[in-house]
Amino acid sequence: AALQAQADTKEWLRATAIDQNDVFTLQEDSGSRWTRPPSPFVKCNYDASFNPHTHQVTGGWVIRDTEGKALSWGSARLRTVRSPLEAEGEALLFALQQSWSRAPLKWSTGGDDNFE
């Protein structure tokens, strides 16, 4: 599943003509820019989409090093929940589970709500 998520993400990056090495410079909806983690940490950013009609959640994450280089990323359809806040929690849990096996032990998280 993780390899499929990586393949899907790479395909999306190619289709939208975004260089994956430049992804960290994109602005989030809040207008803030991605901030680098202090060395020797990596940073795991995550987000969720919530469909209020079906209650379906889709979560995504990306791990970047101190230079902003994407080291690992993925997305998945997650379980149904009752609220956008619960959706963010599911996305955080998904990101943590996926990133533990892919990154050094020193890392921090950042969602769209700036939980770091």
Side-chain angles (χ1 to χ4, degrees):
L3 292 177
Q4 182 62 48
Q6 281 184 333
D8 291 346
T9 302
K10 286 179 183 179
E11 180 181 336
W12 179 83
L13 289 171
R14 280 192 300 274
T16 57
I18 296 173
D19 182 351
Q20 71 182 29
N21 292 325
D22 292 335
V23 170
F24 71 93
T25 62
L26 296 176
Q27 289 190 353
E28 297 178 53
D29 291 342
S30 65
S32 64
R33 290 195 172 267
W34 180 82
T35 57
R36 300 172 192 269
S39 184
F41 291 88
V42 297
K43 187 172 186 179
C44 178
N45 289 97
Y46 66 94
D47 200 3
S49 67
F50 174 73
N51 183 320
H53 302 290
T54 65
H55 299 270
Q56 183 63 53
V57 177
T58 302
W61 55 272
V62 60
I63 299 172
R64 296 183 186 105
D65 64 13
T66 58
E67 299 301 314
K69 180 181 176 188
L71 303 175
S72 187
W73 56 87
S75 65
R77 177 180 263 181
L78 306 174
R79 69 182 187 92
T80 58
V81 297
R82 295 175 295 211
S83 71
L85 181 59
E86 198 175 349
E88 288 290 328
E90 284 295 315
L92 172 58
L93 180 60
F94 170 70
L96 289 171
Q97 290 169 337
Q98 296 298 310
S99 63
W100 283 335
S101 65
R102 293 174 170 77
L105 295 176
K106 296 183 177 184
W107 54 276
S108 64
T109 63
D112 68 341
D113 294 320
N114 295 319
F115 295 119
E116 294 189 66

